[in-house]
């Protein structure tokens, strides 16, 4: 499907992207020999505790490559019209977009001769939206992938030129899957762009039942161990690294009345510690293994089974092995190292006992 770099150099392309996952696609287009007329990315944003203004990963890479950069947070309104006027002056053959972070209005779609081509990290029409990989992992989908499609006014609705399929495995985080798709998808984008500009590509309308993958927020990262183990692991992995999976640690077990819901509220419990959970694997607790104690018969969801080398979180129908934990204000550490400092009876809050905490994050 690909053309020789010497042929590709005659085509002028705008590349639009912002995060790390878009950088491999910019590199792939450059390596394929296309002339990158400009790179469109979002403006510098505050990063870290000191909120230092920092260029986007795509802007940083474009600077290293010596490419002209256009900054725009949106392509609508007066500022957007000015940006579109600059596009028109570039005499573009096509535009490639990978996670730019803003919609392209109708006025901009027809400016390049071959329109806008989008690399999306899902098997369209499944998971249209901003967080396709995260939702696929949370939903325990068996597969995900990437599609290169023609951008149009609807949300990820355009006809598809090419796609690749990738299996999803228990224990994979959304971050790891996305990093993998960013590389394989970049090659798919470059070869598809070459075919489009050479006139040998064809696009097929999307078929099947569409689903949506809206952006996730902090509340979506709450881990409720009262759910089945597979769902708990999928929630942790699907929200890692963004927006981040988290749970509320209480260092004393609830009384019988609290456990039954007959007395006490979350506000009556000891001060809770919010901890970030980074990666989990659904795993049967090895009964009688030297590393872990045999779980007590009355073990309830939220209980932490601690061993010398691992920590298992009790869920509704089994356990998950925690990989890393990050206490508030500290660096990530192995779950086993973190658990060594916990008192007996430490557990994560579950269900309605954590509702008041999650309400503040929405």
């Amino acid at each position: 499907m690909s053309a020789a770099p010497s042929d590709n150099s005659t085509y002028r392309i705008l590349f639009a992207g912002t995060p790390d996952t878009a950088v491999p696609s910019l590199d792939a287009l450059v390596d394929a020999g296309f002339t990158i007329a400009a790179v469109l990315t979002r403006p510098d944003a505050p990063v870290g505790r000191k909120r230092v203004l920092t260029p986007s990963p795509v802007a940083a890479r474009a600077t290293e490559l010596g490419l002209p950069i256009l900054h725009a947070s949106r392509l609508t309104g007066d500022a957007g019209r000015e940006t579109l006027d600059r596009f028109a002056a570039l005499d573009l053959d096509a535009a490639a977009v990978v996670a730019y972070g803003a919609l392209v209005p109708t006025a901009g779609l027809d400016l390049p001769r071959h329109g806008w081509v989008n690399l999306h990290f899902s098997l369209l029409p499944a998971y249209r939206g901003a967080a396709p990989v995260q939702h696929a992992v949370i939903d325990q989908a068996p597969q995900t992938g990437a599609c290169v499609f023609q951008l149009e006014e609807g949300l990820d609705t355009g006809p598809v030129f090419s796609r690749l399929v990738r299996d999803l495995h228990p224990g994979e985080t959304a971050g790891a899957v996305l990093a993998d798709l960013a590389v394989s998808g970049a090659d798919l984008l470059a070869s598809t762009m070459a075919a489009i500009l050479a006139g040998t590509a064809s696009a097929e309308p999307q078929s099947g039942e569409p689903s949506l993958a809206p952006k996730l927020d902090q509340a979506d990262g709450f881990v409720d161990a009262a759910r089945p183990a597979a769902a708990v692991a999928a929630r942790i992995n699907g929200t890692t690294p963004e927006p981040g999976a988290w749970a509320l640690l209480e260092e004393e077990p609830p009384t019988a009345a609290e456990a039954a819901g007959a007395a006490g509220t979350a506000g009556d419990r000891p001060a809770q510690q919010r901890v970030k959970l980074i990666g989990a694997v659904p795993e049967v607790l090895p009964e009688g293994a030297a590393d872990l104690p045999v779980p007590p018969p009355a073990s309830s969801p939220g209980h932490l089974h601690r061993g010398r080398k691992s920590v298992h979180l009790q869920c509704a129908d089994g356990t998950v092995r925690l990989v890393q934990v990050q206490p508030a204000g500290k660096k990530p550490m192995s779950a086993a190292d973190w658990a060594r400092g916990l008192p007996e009876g430490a557990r994560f809050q579950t269900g309605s006992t954590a509702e008041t905490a999650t309400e503040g994050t929405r």
Side-chain angles (χ1 to χ4, degrees):
M1 199 190 272
S2 61
S6 58
D7 296 330
N8 292 341
S9 65
T10 64
Y11 300 118
R12 294 175 56 80
I13 292 178
L14 170 78
F15 180 80
T18 298
D20 285 312
T21 50
V23 172
S25 288
L26 175 58
D27 284 338
L29 292 170
V30 170
D31 290 344
F34 292 104
T35 297
I36 308 300
V39 172
L40 172 67
T41 191
R42 294 178 68 83
D44 296 359
V47 173
R49 292 184 179 180
K50 295 184 179 180
R51 311 304 288 165
V52 177
L53 279 179
T54 305
S56 74
V58 165
R61 182 57 179 151
T63 299
E64 292 173 352
L65 294 170
L67 300 173
I69 301 172
L70 301 175
H71 292 95
S73 57
R74 61 174 56 192
L75 299 178
T76 56
D78 292 340
R81 281 192 291 273
E82 291 179 8
T83 303
L84 294 182
D85 288 342
R86 297 179 71 178
F87 292 171
L90 292 174
D91 189 29
L92 297 170
D93 289 293
V97 57
V98 184
Y100 163 54
L103 295 176
V104 181
T106 303
L109 290 175
D110 295 330
L111 287 177
R113 281 180 281 278
H114 293 269
W116 292 65
V117 178
N118 192 349
L119 172 63
H120 186 72
F121 299 113
S122 84
L123 299 175
L124 293 170
Y127 300 111
R128 294 171 175 169
V133 173
Q134 292 93 324
H135 282 274
V137 174
I138 290 171
D139 293 345
Q140 302 172 62
Q143 293 180 321
T144 186
C147 287
V148 177
F149 72 97
Q150 190 81 50
L151 201 65
E152 57 183 31
E153 287 187 69
L155 177 63
D156 301 332
T157 57
V160 175
F161 288 102
S162 58
R163 66 177 63 215
L164 61 86
V165 179
R166 181 195 190 280
D167 290 339
L168 286 174
H169 306 286
E172 287 188 302
T173 66
V177 175
L178 193 54
D180 182 53
L181 287 175
V183 174
S184 55
D187 292 337
L188 184 71
L189 175 65
S191 60
T192 302
M193 180 65 79
I196 292 170
L197 295 175
T200 60
S202 61
E204 297 291 335
Q206 295 181 29
S207 62
E209 189 66 26
S211 59
L212 298 180
K215 183 179 179 180
L216 300 173
D217 61 23
Q218 271 197 330
D220 293 307
F222 171 64
V223 176
D224 182 5
R227 301 193 65 206
V232 170
R235 174 67 56 174
I236 294 172
N237 292 326
T239 55
T240 297
E242 295 293 338
W246 57 277
L248 294 172
L249 177 72
E250 60 178 25
E251 297 184 351
E252 295 179 16
T255 65
E258 288 173 328
T265 66
D268 297 326
R269 301 297 306 142
Q272 304 120 8
Q273 180 188 144
R274 180 166 167 158
V275 295
K276 188 174 182 179
L277 307 179
I278 307 171
V281 181
E283 189 175 89
V284 176
L285 190 65
E287 187 172 339
D291 179 50
L292 287 161
V294 177
S299 181
S300 59
H303 180 85
L304 292 164
H305 302 286
R306 296 177 295 162
R308 292 189 302 274
K309 298 180 180 179
S310 62
V311 180
H312 283 68
L313 170 64
Q314 183 69 46
C315 304
D317 62 351
T319 64
V320 299
R321 176 171 55 83
L322 302 180
V323 178
Q324 284 190 306
V325 174
Q326 183 176 5
K330 297 184 179 180
K331 294 182 179 180
M333 63 183 74
S334 75
D337 289 344
W338 166 77
R340 289 193 185 100
L342 297 181
E344 288 297 326
R347 58 183 291 115
F348 289 144
Q349 287 193 359
T350 60
S352 61
T353 61
E355 284 182 359
T356 56
T358 58
E359 284 174 2
T361 68
R362 293 187 183 277

